[in-house]
């Protein structure tokens, strides 16, 4: 297990290897696999890098 805020590190990973942790509106910690985030797999197939998608806000949670 690794935690990072480095988009350069994330660029080397596949969506199924990355989990995003965030707090919901009630303050509970939630986890989501990036492969399950709408649009991520499609952007990756088109040549996008996962870390770049994160920086551009495609993960749907605050960085």
């Amino acid at each position: 297990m690794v935690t990072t805020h480095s988009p350069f590190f994330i660029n080397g990973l596949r969506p199924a290897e990355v989990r995003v942790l965030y707090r919901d509106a009630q303050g509970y910690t939630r986890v989501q696999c990036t492969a399950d985030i709408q649009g991520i797999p499609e952007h990756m197939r088109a040549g996008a890098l996962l870390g770049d998608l994160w920086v551009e806000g495609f993960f749907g949670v605050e960085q």
Side-chain angles (χ1 to χ4, degrees), residues 14-39:
R14 296 182 308 254
E17 298 173 319
V18 177
R19 306 292 185 274
V20 178
L21 292 138
Y22 63 97
R23 291 196 191 274
D24 67 12
Q26 291 77 35
Y28 293 102
T29 301
R30 302 291 182 196
V31 62
Q32 186 168 19
C33 180
T34 57
D36 297 331
I37 297 174
Q38 185 177 2

Side-chain angles (χ1 to χ4, degrees), residues 1-15:
M1 180 184 296
V2 174
T3 62
T4 186
H5 288 101
S6 171
F8 304 108
F9 182 81
I10 304 258
N11 275 341
L13 301 174
R14 296 182 308 254

Side-chain angles (χ1 to χ4, degrees), residues 29-54:
T29 301
R30 302 291 182 196
V31 62
Q32 186 168 19
C33 180
T34 57
D36 297 331
I37 297 174
Q38 185 177 2
I40 298 291
E42 294 81 9
H43 285 294
M44 296 287 297
R45 282 193 294 274
L49 297 173
L50 196 56
D52 295 340
L53 292 173
W54 172 40

